[in-house]
């Protein structure tokens, strides 16, 4: 690091959190509101803020930091790759880009003809999938002009991905959005069957609806969707941005049902930004031809090297089994608490409902107590910790939760 850059960073590093937050508000757009803390370093499942406070990270950057913070292999791979070759544009390719594409096709058990397109995020992957769907346009005599998605679904905030997202509050400020999208109740096979005919270009589904509060779909729903899509000639797209790459204790939550396309991101790079659109079989992979889509940074050598390192660690350390075991124990422990009314999810993607609408207040009390969690709803909490987290670390949160609930409930009653 140059002396000039080091001096700039060192000057900021010596400021307190309140000073840094004031500078944040003066210089960055307010689309995220005021940050809860200024985080300065991390290791494993722990992070520290600018004031020296320690936190157990139970959110992992919203299901991103699969290997936790400052993982030694990830650090080594990113550093060595950047020292060798950082960016090359899409006029060229690299060994890491080719190797990662081949690895993803292997992990998804992709049939012949399947292909991968790399992006920088899950939103970009879903944007590419939206364009893929538009290419399944049918014929002039029988055009395919409709796309079916699920109520409560979330697919991103760019214009195409936002058009697929159900929540009106997200969409309304930016309308008109790309049209043709319709929503059916999540988990209702009959409603899906009634909505899909030969005018539908694609069906978009999250196997577990993360932003809705970690809501799994009923057993058999994905298989039924596969049958419905095939019968109508529609593409079936699984959004595994949040659920993929071991988050549920499987490589992919949709395991056992082959879609026409799958979108990935979040945990794929272990914290380094990368996403992917994987298409299965000849039909889907040939819908987007040369020049019809692109990216400057997608699939760059550093991102693909980090993703390969992440996949290697998950495999070599048998983290899928670890995620299954620790996730099951955590769900069982949460279900025994009087303040918890329902527990949902798979592996280490867990949502649970509280007995009262105090989730946002509980998030604040948890942060003060040293736990980073998330509230996707007024009484719903979401946990998506690093895949390497230990049962003992998770147990400290379960032990603290009843008191945190009492404090949040008292705050709510005072404000009423």
């Amino acid at each position: 690091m140059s002396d000039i850059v080091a001096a700039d960073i060192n000057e900021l590093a010596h400021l307190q959190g309140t000073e840094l937050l004031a500078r944040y508000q003066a210089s960055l757009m307010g689309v995220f509101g005021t940050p809860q803390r200024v985080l300065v370093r991390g290791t494993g499942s722990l992070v520290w803020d600018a004031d020296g406070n320690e936190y157990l990270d139970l959110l992992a950057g919203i299901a991103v930091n699969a290997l936790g913070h400052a993982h030694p292999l990830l650090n080594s791979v990113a550093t060595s790759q950047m020292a060798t070759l950082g960016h090359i544009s899409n006029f060229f390719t690299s060994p890491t880009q080719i190797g990662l594409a081949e690895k993803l096709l292997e992990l998804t058990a992709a049939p012949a003809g399947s292909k991968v397109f790399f992006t920088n995020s899950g939103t970009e992957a879903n944007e590419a999938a939206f364009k893929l769907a538009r290419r399944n346009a049918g014929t002039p005599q029988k055009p395919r002009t409709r796309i079916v998605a699920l109520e409560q679904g979330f697919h991103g905030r760019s214009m195409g991905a936002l058009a697929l997202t159900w929540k009106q509050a997200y969409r309304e400020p930016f309308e008109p959005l790309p049209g043709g999208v319709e929503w059916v109740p999540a988990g209702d096979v009959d409603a899906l069957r009634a909505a899909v005919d030969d005018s539908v270009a694609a069906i978009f589904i999250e196997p577990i609806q993360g932003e809705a509060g970690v809501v799994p779909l009923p057993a058999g729903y994905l298989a039924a969707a596969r049958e419905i899509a095939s019968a109508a000639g529609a593409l079936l797209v699984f959004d595994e941005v949040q659920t993929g790459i071991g988050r549920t204790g499987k490589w992919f939550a949709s395991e056992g049902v082959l879609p026409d396309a799958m979108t990935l991101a979040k945990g794929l790079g272990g914290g380094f930004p990368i996403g992917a659109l994987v298409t299965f079989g000849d039909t889907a992979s040939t819908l987007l031809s040369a020049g019809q889509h692109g990216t400057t940074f997608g699939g760059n050598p550093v991102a693909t090297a980090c993703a390969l390192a992440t996949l290697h660690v998950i495999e070599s350390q048998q983290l899928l089994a670890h995620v299954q075991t620790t996730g099951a124990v955590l769900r069982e422990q949460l279900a025994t608490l009087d303040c918890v009314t329902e527990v949902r999810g798979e592996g280490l993607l867990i949502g649970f409902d509280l007995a009262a609408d105090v989730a946002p207040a509980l998030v604040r009390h948890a942060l003060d107590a040293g736990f980073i969690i998330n509230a996707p709803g007024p009484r719903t909490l979401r946990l998506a910790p690093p895949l390497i987290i230990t049962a003992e670390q998770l147990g400290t949160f379960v032990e603290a939760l009843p008191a945190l609930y009492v404090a949040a409930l008292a705050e709510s009653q005072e404000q009423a």
Side-chain angles (χ1 to χ4, degrees):
M1 184 183 300
S2 73
D3 292 341
I4 294 175
V5 174
D8 288 342
I9 295 176
N10 190 53
E11 186 268 331
L12 290 171
H14 282 82
L15 296 179
Q16 297 296 302
T18 53
E19 297 174 286
L20 288 166
L21 287 175
R23 291 175 64 162
Y24 175 97
Q25 291 177 311
S27 57
L28 280 92
M29 285 189 179
V31 294
F32 302 114
T34 302
Q36 299 173 56
R37 296 288 192 277
V38 179
L39 301 181
V40 296
R41 65 184 178 92
T43 181
S45 297
L46 299 174
V47 294
W48 287 264
D49 68 16
D51 300 319
N53 299 306
E54 179 184 290
Y55 305 89
L56 180 62
D57 186 0
L58 297 172
L59 195 58
I62 313 181
V64 169
N65 299 310
L67 307 182
H69 301 273
H71 191 278
L73 179 62
L74 201 58
N75 290 347
S76 174
V77 166
T79 302
S80 61
Q81 182 59 58
M82 193 67 189
T84 305
L85 192 65
H87 175 70
I88 55 176
S89 88
N90 53 35
F91 291 126
F92 305 95
T93 189
S94 67
T96 56
Q97 186 182 76
I98 296 166
L100 180 59
E102 291 175 344
K103 186 63 178 179
L104 289 177
L105 294 177
E106 173 194 326
L107 293 176
T108 56
S114 302
K115 305 290 184 182
V116 178
F117 173 79
F118 288 117
T119 67
N120 304 292
S121 68
T123 291
E124 289 184 25
N126 282 326
E127 195 78 23
F130 191 98
K131 291 178 72 174
L132 184 78
R134 284 287 180 86
R135 290 288 293 151
N136 187 30
T139 66
Q141 295 75 29
K142 284 191 174 183
R144 297 182 179 277
T145 59
R146 301 165 56 224
I147 293 175
V148 173
L150 301 189
E151 293 180 4
Q152 307 296 334
F154 179 86
H155 300 283
R157 295 179 186 266
S158 63
M159 295 300 275
L162 188 58
L164 296 166
T165 294
W166 180 79
K167 193 172 182 178
Q168 183 64 20
Y170 291 161
R171 300 193 339 263
E172 190 173 41
F174 306 101
E175 292 175 340
L177 295 167
V181 181
E182 305 167 17
W183 294 270
V184 298
D188 187 333
V189 173
D190 292 336
L192 183 64
R193 195 180 304 277
V196 177
D197 57 24
D198 60 8
S199 68
V200 171
I203 304 168
F204 280 77
I205 295 174
E206 296 170 277
I208 299 175
Q209 295 185 313
E211 294 299 314
V214 189
V215 181
L217 296 171
Y221 184 85
L222 297 183
R226 174 70 279 174
E227 180 269 319
I228 291 168
S230 296
L235 299 178
L236 180 62
V237 182
F238 288 160
D239 178 344
E240 293 249 24
V241 168
Q242 189 162 159
T243 55
I245 315 301
R247 174 55 52 187
T248 65
K250 300 178 287 188
W251 281 114
F252 311 102
S254 60
E255 191 174 283
V257 179
L258 188 70
D260 296 292
M262 177 188 294
T263 56
L264 301 168
K266 289 194 179 289
L268 178 58
F272 201 96
I274 185 170
L277 169 66
V278 185
T279 61
F280 299 100
D282 292 327
T283 302
S285 66
T286 56
L287 286 176
L288 285 176
S289 55
Q292 292 185 337
H293 197 53
T295 170
T296 297
F297 296 105
N300 69 77
V302 182
T304 49
C306 288
L308 280 169
T310 300
L311 299 179
H312 171 75
V313 173
I314 293 174
E315 279 189 315
S316 63
Q317 296 188 4
Q318 299 181 325
L319 288 183
L320 296 183
H322 174 76
V323 168
Q324 292 172 11
T325 301
T326 54
V329 171
L330 177 57
R331 292 193 301 275
E332 291 171 3
Q333 291 176 337
L334 289 170
T336 66
L337 301 180
D338 292 337
C339 60
V340 174
T341 60
E342 183 181 8
V343 182
R344 300 176 298 274
E346 295 181 32
L348 287 174
L349 180 60
I350 296 173
F352 60 97
D353 293 341
L354 301 169
D357 292 351
V358 297
L362 198 152
V363 168
R364 293 193 299 273
H365 286 281
L367 196 61
D368 290 340
F371 302 101
I372 296 176
I373 59 176
N374 171 246
R379 66 171 54 198
T380 301
L381 296 174
R382 173 174 51 175
L383 306 179
L387 305 187
I388 62 168
I389 198 165
T390 67
E392 291 75 19
Q393 288 175 316
L394 293 170
T396 63
F397 172 71
V398 175
E399 183 178 354
L401 184 57
L404 297 174
Y405 175 79
V406 170
L409 188 60
E411 177 185 316
S412 175
Q413 292 170 344
E414 289 175 3
Q415 296 174 349

